[in-house]
Amino acid sequence: MSIITTYRCPMRCEMCNVWKHPTEASREVRPEELEILPRVRFANVTGGEPFVRGDLDRIVGVLFTKAPRVVVSTSGWFEERVLDLAREFPRIGIRISIEGLSQKNDELRGREGGFDRGLRTLLALREMGVKDIGFGCTVSNRNSADMLALYRLSRALGMEFATAAIHNSFYFHKEDNRITNVEGVTADFERLVEMQLRAPHPKSWSRAFFNNGLINYVEGRPRLLPCEAGTVNFFVDPYGEVYPCNGLEERYWMESMGNIRRAQSFDEIWLGEQAQRVRALVRECPKNCWMVGTAAPVMKKYIRHPLQWMAANRIRSMLHRPLCLRKRPYDVGQDPRQGRDG
């Protein structure tokens, strides 16, 4: 589950206008209201910028009663607040959004000094002994080459590296995010996939499969595996609305599964008629999104296909042979209408 704690944010990112539509602090979901949430394997805390919340420690405290692993996604702008939270919760995960090397990151995120703050925070967390730390990069026309440098930096520092491709949603208040330099961006993703396949750890090979899915997305192809948003994951927005994902757009469809503030139990939402209606909409959703929140669960569910791809392309990479990247979606019984706008 992902908890969108706020739409307030100190950054001014080019690919996200959430900062132009901030929530009122008094209306944001309170830590005690999250007690209704179910036990899950993993909880992500996101925003906006979660560290604008003065009660973030209480939110994280609640979520650690719901999940063994809690990761906060942040810009890293509030360095000391990040470190203070890690001191209180040594098992916390931290992912800092960094969109390129120093100049490119600050240009895209709209605040001078953002790269320096983010990197300093990651280095300080590593010195504290926090294990679950790393970068997150949203790739566009303007930073795909820097993505490769960030990957090399993450490996040198022994940190995690997550990717996404620029996209539109209600969440970002954007409808004009597009990758126009498709050939250049996919070439950089192909290089990243090759480097990950040559890494010694199977986790890197899994990420290579995920990034192959991003190549499909950038080229406008359907998802490699179906979207099961609202079945394997959910988002809670700052007002308590439960959504299947954060990629919804009103021009396609946008419906909540329910609101935690109006429910007596989470099962009332999760097993209700409205949730079933939303899942039916997901099954025929025209978008071809490929984001880690919805891709990772189905990669595990239909593990045979990613494993076969990883094994074949790992061998090809070691033999310096061309990789087999572009494939038709794996047929696991998904509705053919899903992702038709891809």
Side-chain angles (χ1 to χ4, degrees):
M1 61 186 177
S2 294
I3 313 302
I4 307 171
T5 52
T6 182
Y7 290 143
R8 293 177 284 152
C9 187
M11 311 310 284
R12 302 293 182 263
C13 298
E14 288 194 5
M15 63 283 192
C16 175
N17 285 335
V18 69
W19 55 276
K20 294 181 180 180
H21 304 269
T23 39
E24 296 177 23
S26 62
R27 297 181 60 200
E28 293 170 349
V29 67
R30 300 186 302 275
E32 57 269 23
E33 292 176 311
L34 301 177
E35 295 283 359
I36 197 175
L37 296 174
R39 287 194 58 82
V40 295
R41 294 182 181 179
F42 168 71
N44 174 236
V45 181
T46 186
E49 171 50 67
F51 283 94
V52 302
R53 295 279 305 246
D55 56 356
L56 183 60
D57 58 335
R58 293 173 54 209
I59 291 174
V60 169
V62 171
L63 294 181
F64 264 122
T65 70
K66 306 293 181 179
R69 182 174 177 235
V70 178
V71 175
V72 181
S73 301
T74 173
S75 65
W77 188 257
F78 299 106
E79 299 175 62
E80 288 304 319
R81 297 182 195 179
V82 178
L83 301 181
D84 286 344
L85 187 71
R87 292 185 186 102
E88 185 174 354
F89 300 97
R91 292 190 295 116
I92 195 73
I94 300 291
R95 291 294 180 276
I96 294 186
S97 297
I98 296 181
E99 310 307 343
L101 300 180
S102 180
Q103 181 178 347
K104 182 60 65 177
N105 175 80
D106 294 357
E107 175 187 317
L108 292 177
R109 296 191 69 80
R111 294 297 298 270
E112 186 176 349
F115 178 87
D116 293 349
R117 291 190 187 210
L119 185 57
R120 271 199 307 264
T121 302
L122 286 170
L123 293 174
L125 289 167
R126 189 178 68 165
E127 286 186 6
M128 290 170 56
V130 181
K131 304 296 185 185
D132 193 356
I133 55 176
F135 303 85
C137 180
T138 300
V139 180
S140 68
N141 292 330
R142 302 177 60 183
N143 67 344
S144 61
D146 275 23
M147 167 188 69
L148 299 176
L150 287 176
Y151 174 68
R152 295 185 182 99
L153 180 59
S154 71
R155 288 194 63 186
L157 295 174
M159 297 180 183
E160 302 291 331
F161 184 72
T163 49
I166 195 170
H167 57 279
N168 299 306
S169 79
F170 81 94
Y171 179 76
F172 300 120
H173 300 274
K174 293 284 285 185
E175 294 184 353
D176 59 351
N177 280 332
R178 287 179 182 83
I179 291 176
T180 54
N181 180 21
V182 173
E183 185 175 340
V185 172
T186 56
D188 287 329
F189 267 120
E190 288 172 13
R191 179 63 182 137
L192 176 62
V193 167
E194 186 176 9
M195 288 191 287
Q196 289 175 323
L197 285 169
R198 290 183 179 176
H201 304 295
K203 191 172 185 180
S204 293
W205 311 340
S206 176
R207 288 184 176 138
F209 180 89
F210 173 78
N211 284 312
N212 183 39
L214 285 179
I215 293 173
N216 266 25
Y217 166 75
V218 171
E219 293 183 334
R221 301 169 186 267
R223 290 171 59 107
L224 294 177
L225 292 166
C227 178
E228 297 184 359
T231 301
V232 296
N233 67 286
F234 62 89
F235 280 74
V236 180
D237 84 351
Y239 306 109
E241 297 290 342
V242 179
Y243 290 107
C245 71
N246 67 337
L248 299 176
E249 295 185 68
E250 291 184 355
R251 60 177 172 156
Y252 292 108
W253 66 277
M254 181 175 169
E255 290 196 28
S256 165
M257 301 170 80
N259 192 299
I260 62 172
R261 287 173 162 167
R262 296 192 293 270
Q264 297 300 310
S265 70
F266 193 76
D267 277 354
E268 181 182 320
I269 298 172
W270 197 246
L271 303 177
E273 290 184 7
Q274 177 59 17
Q276 297 302 327
R277 169 178 164 76
V278 168
R279 292 183 187 112
L281 290 170
V282 169
R283 285 192 290 272
E284 57 184 63
C285 180
K287 294 191 69 175
N288 68 328
C289 307
W290 185 257
M291 293 180 282
V292 70
T294 53
V298 292
M299 285 170 58
K300 293 175 182 176
K301 180 176 179 179
Y302 304 107
I303 188 65
R304 176 171 65 91
H305 301 294
L307 282 179
Q308 289 176 342
W309 181 94
M310 284 182 254
N313 281 291
R314 165 76 172 165
I315 293 170
R316 284 178 171 271
S317 70
M318 299 306 292
L319 296 175
H320 301 282
R321 295 175 58 188
L323 303 179
C324 292
L325 299 181
R326 292 159 179 81
K327 296 182 70 69
R328 296 176 62 84
Y330 300 100
D331 185 359
V332 294
Q334 63 265 46
D335 192 311
R337 291 171 292 181
Q338 191 182 75
R340 61 178 178 265
D341 279 5

